[in-house]
């Protein structure tokens, strides 16, 4: 006689675990729904979110096929057809790899557009500041090459004004001690380009700090003259997002340093509530992906038995199957919530 | 023992698989059809619930399990539903009404950008290739 629930302990344990998993994912999904309902203007345009419904749909189908494979594998185990069980479990494992591969493509698409929590500009002003910051990083990275190679003295490598004055003087100077002539010649060749890049960034930076249109010259005398010509109550035109967009496009099109700017500065695109969207998206899909990986480990444990696989593994396959169906179940809700709605 | 329930019933898993695939296709079609937002939400969530039921009942064999399933799943289901309901008054209806900068101090700037962006997109779409 067996007391309690009429199922094996391992299965009871799996169901209790799945009970906690239900609450775990419902906390995320519930919080997402609540945040979304409370955020008027939540991003839904694929141009903003880079959500690919087709890839999401393909992944849904991949998980459904894998769920079917698992259930067939479990049935084969019960019928003691272990070769068939292994074949279907291998199919499930392969589909899990496909799922993660597609997820990886989706993640790469988001990373390449900087759709990451805390990195998205939500307003035009934030987008302008982001361009300014990223351009500064590009300039500093270029200058670091000079200081790291010892071409310019690196007493204060972060003092960008001091470094740029030294780089400006490079074309007419001789190599410092310990620097190869050919290396120095290369840096001399690039110096003019990098100094010009610095000037372009500094021009934008000054306009951002003063919040003045790029149409107003940043040269102090001309800037002060423009201010002096203002009548009572008039203000200099403020810096507009469209101006910065155009300015950045011109920098990226520049033959000499355009490639550095393109590699280091993302196209500005304000997305209201973009950060909370990215947080919830990566949190939910990330935890789901971790569960997929755990499922794969369970299947590998069975497949590792090879031809030794026997009836003792039937409960393990059943419980792994229950876990895998749960992973499928979570995706069944994530797909409409994240991709369609 | 572990296969008692399993051995006493027969499920055509292939049929369940095709039903699930059909439901998934339906969700995708609902997205393409460009219906009103409310209708799409209701339809895709209904389809998701139907798919979840299919998976739980047949793939996870809950249809053939004893009453223990209710004892085990009822508390988690109640807690799972309770959490969003508990959060809703504090977060969903209060936090973002007047305090959030997205709907307060940034709103004018955001609206201006969105109007400009929409106009630029419309103009770009109107230009014949």
């Amino acid at each position: 006689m067996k007391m309690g629930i009429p199922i094996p302990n391992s299965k009871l344990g799996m169901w209790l675990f799945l009970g906690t998993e239900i609450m775990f994912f419902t906390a995320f999904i519930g919080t997402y729904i609540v945040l979304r309902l409370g955020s008027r203007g939540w991003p839904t345009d694929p141009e903003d979110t880079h959500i690919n419904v087709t890839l999401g749909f393909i992944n849904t189908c991949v998980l459904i096929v894998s769920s079917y494979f698992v259930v067939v594998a479990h049935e084969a185990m019960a019928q003691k057809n272990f070769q068939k069980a292994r074949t279907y479990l291998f199919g499930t494992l392969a589909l899990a790899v496909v799922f993660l591969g597609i997820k990886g493509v989706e993640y790469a698409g988001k990373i390449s557009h900087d759709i990451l929590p805390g990195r998205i500009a939500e307003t035009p002003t934030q987008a302008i500041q982001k361009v300014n910051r990223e351009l500064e990083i590009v300039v500093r990275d270029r200058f670091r090459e000079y200081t790291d190679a010892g071409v310019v003295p690196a007493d204060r490598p972060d003092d960008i004004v001091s470094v740029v004055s030294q780089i400006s003087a490079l074309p007419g100077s001789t190599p410092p001690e310990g620097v190869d002539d050919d290396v120095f010649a290369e840096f001399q060749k690039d110096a003019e380009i990098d100094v010009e890049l610095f000037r372009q960034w500094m021009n934008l930076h000054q306009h951002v700090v003063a919040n003045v249109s790029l149409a107003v010259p940043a040269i102090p005398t001309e800037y002060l003259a423009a201010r002096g010509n203002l009548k009572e109550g008039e203000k200099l035109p403020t810096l507009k997002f469209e101006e910065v967009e155009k300015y950045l496009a011109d920098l990226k099109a520049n033959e000499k340093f355009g490639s550095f700017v393109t590699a280091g500065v993302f196209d500005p695109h304000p997305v209201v509530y973009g950060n909370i969207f990215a947080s919830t998206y990566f949190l939910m899909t990330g935890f789901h992906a971790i569960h997929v990986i755990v499922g794969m480990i369970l299947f590998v444990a069975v497949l590792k038995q090879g031809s030794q696989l026997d009836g003792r593994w039937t409960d393990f396959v059943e419980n792994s199957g229950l876990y895998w169906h749960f992973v499928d179940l979570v995706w069944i809700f994530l797909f409409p919530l994240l991709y369609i709605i | 023992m572990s296969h008692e329930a399993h051995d006493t019933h027969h499920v055509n898993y292939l049929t369940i698989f095709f039903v699930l695939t059909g439901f998934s296709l339906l969700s995708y079609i609902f997205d393409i059809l460009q219906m009103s937002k409310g209708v799409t939400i209701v339809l895709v969530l209904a389809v998701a619930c139907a798919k979840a039921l299919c998976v739980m009942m047949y793939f996870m064999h809950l249809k053939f399990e004893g009453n223990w399933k209710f004892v085990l799943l009822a508390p988690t289901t109640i807690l799972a539903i309770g959490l969003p309901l508990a959060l809703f008054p504090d977060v969903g209806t209060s936090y973002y009404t007047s305090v959030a900068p997205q709907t307060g101090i940034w709103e004018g700037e955001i609206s201006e950008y969105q109007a400009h962006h929409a106009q630029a997109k419309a103009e770009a779409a109107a230009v014949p290739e």
Side-chain angles (χ1 to χ4, degrees):
Chain A
M1 189 176 99
K2 187 181 189 304
M3 299 291 284
I5 295 171
I7 53 172
N9 290 342
S10 61
K11 189 171 167 180
L12 175 62
M14 177 52 78
W15 269 110
L16 284 171
F17 171 67
L18 292 183
T20 66
E21 287 282 83
I22 291 170
M23 288 188 284
F24 180 81
F25 274 103
T26 319
F28 292 149
I29 293 173
T31 308
Y32 165 75
I33 293 170
V34 167
L35 284 172
R36 190 171 164 169
L37 289 174
S39 309
R40 189 161 42 86
W42 185 275
T44 52
D45 189 342
E47 192 193 331
D48 295 334
T49 59
H50 289 266
I51 283 279
N52 189 326
V53 182
T54 306
L55 286 184
F57 171 69
I58 293 169
N59 257 352
T60 306
C61 294
V62 166
L63 278 189
I64 288 173
V65 177
S66 72
S67 255
Y68 169 69
F69 279 8
V70 164
V71 90
V72 173
H74 173 229
E75 199 175 46
M77 289 292 287
Q79 292 162 355
K80 305 206 182 302
N81 187 348
F82 302 115
Q83 177 55 41
K84 184 181 175 187
R86 273 167 52 203
T87 307
Y88 275 90
L89 283 178
F90 184 78
T92 309
L93 188 66
L95 288 170
V97 173
V98 172
F99 179 89
L100 289 181
I102 293 173
K103 201 87 236 136
V105 170
E106 283 188 68
Y107 276 19
K110 286 186 177 48
I111 292 165
S112 67
H113 289 90
D114 213 23
I115 301 181
L116 294 167
R119 294 187 59 88
I120 300 167
E122 297 203 20
T123 66
T125 303
Q126 287 180 2
I128 291 170
Q129 286 163 349
K130 188 167 184 272
V131 170
N132 182 36
R133 263 196 322 273
E134 288 170 351
L135 201 53
E136 180 181 351
I137 291 167
V138 171
V139 171
R140 285 188 184 277
D141 284 349
R142 293 293 305 155
F143 284 9
R144 195 165 296 117
E145 288 188 21
Y146 291 83
T147 53
D148 286 354
V151 174
V152 297
D155 302 337
R156 288 176 297 159
D158 291 335
D159 183 352
I160 201 163
V161 178
S162 159
V163 173
V164 77
S165 66
Q166 292 178 72
I167 293 174
S168 305
L170 275 187
S173 59
T174 52
E177 206 175 310
V179 177
D180 186 76
D181 283 359
D182 293 339
V183 172
F184 188 74
E186 281 295 313
F187 277 106
Q188 277 183 315
K189 216 166 63 186
D190 290 345
E192 200 182 320
I193 297 167
D194 290 325
V195 169
E196 177 56 22
L197 177 61
F198 169 82
R199 287 201 187 110
Q200 294 293 337
W201 164 65
M202 190 45 85
N203 179 45
L204 176 68
H205 180 68
Q206 286 173 329
H207 284 90
V208 171
V209 171
N211 190 21
V212 173
S213 165
L214 287 164
V216 179
I219 303 158
T221 49
E222 294 186 30
Y223 172 70
L224 290 172
R227 284 193 62 167
N229 289 337
L230 291 174
K231 290 176 190 157
E232 183 78 23
E234 272 187 347
K235 280 182 179 175
L236 288 174
T238 54
L239 185 61
K240 293 283 177 205
F241 172 73
E242 291 75 28
E243 287 180 275
V244 177
E245 214 176 12
K246 169 84 174 55
Y247 189 78
L248 180 64
D250 290 345
L251 292 186
K252 287 189 175 184
N254 187 291
E255 275 180 21
K256 292 172 184 170
F257 51 71
S259 58
F260 308 134
V261 180
T262 306
V265 185
F266 292 96
D267 285 329
H269 185 61
V271 181
V272 68
Y273 290 117
N275 291 296
I276 200 161
F277 157 77
S279 295
T280 48
Y281 172 84
F282 281 107
L283 187 78
M284 289 194 284
T285 58
F287 268 112
H288 182 263
I290 290 170
H291 279 71
V292 171
I293 293 167
V294 171
M296 289 165 74
I297 294 169
L298 295 176
F299 297 134
V300 167
V302 181
L303 289 170
K304 251 181 75 181
Q305 304 309 309
S307 56
Q308 308 291 311
L309 187 67
D310 56 26
R312 288 173 301 173
W313 285 84
T314 308
D315 282 351
F316 188 93
V317 171
E318 183 181 17
N319 294 330
S320 308
L322 284 173
Y323 175 83
W324 193 252
H325 296 314
F326 174 77
V327 170
D328 184 19
L329 214 54
V330 171
W331 188 257
I332 282 174
F333 286 103
L334 290 188
F335 173 59
L337 285 171
L338 288 175
Y339 288 76
I340 297 179
I341 297 174
Chain B
M1 178 77 187
S2 65
H3 307 294
E4 245 172 41
H6 181 79
D7 292 338
T8 54
H9 64 267
H10 178 74
V11 179
N12 189 341
Y13 294 120
L14 202 58
T15 309
I16 306 297
F17 164 71
F18 283 125
V19 168
L20 286 170
T21 310
F23 276 141
S24 303
L25 202 61
L26 217 51
S27 299
Y28 190 64
I29 291 167
F30 289 151
D31 180 55
I32 295 170
L33 283 180
Q34 304 281 338
M35 293 175 290
S36 79
K37 200 86 192 157
V39 175
T40 309
I41 290 171
V42 170
L43 287 176
V44 294
L45 286 182
V47 166
C49 289
K51 278 166 72 179
L53 265 179
C54 275
V55 170
M56 287 195 294
M57 283 170 69
Y58 297 104
F59 280 1
M60 297 174 97
H61 300 131
L62 279 182
K63 187 173 188 235
F64 314 104
E65 301 287 5
N67 287 336
W68 61 263
K69 64 192 170 198
F70 299 114
V71 178
L72 212 71
L73 293 175
T76 56
T77 309
I78 291 165
L79 285 169
I81 295 168
L83 180 86
L85 291 178
L87 280 174
F88 196 71
D90 286 338
V91 182
T93 57
S94 304
Y95 184 65
Y96 285 113
T97 47
S98 58
V99 182
Q102 284 93 337
T103 53
I105 52 172
W106 295 344
E107 193 168 27
E109 191 187 355
I110 290 168
S111 308
E112 192 186 327
Y113 163 73
Q114 284 173 342
H116 183 273
H117 188 64
Q119 192 188 342
K121 258 178 89 172
E123 282 170 6
V127 174
E129 295 206 2

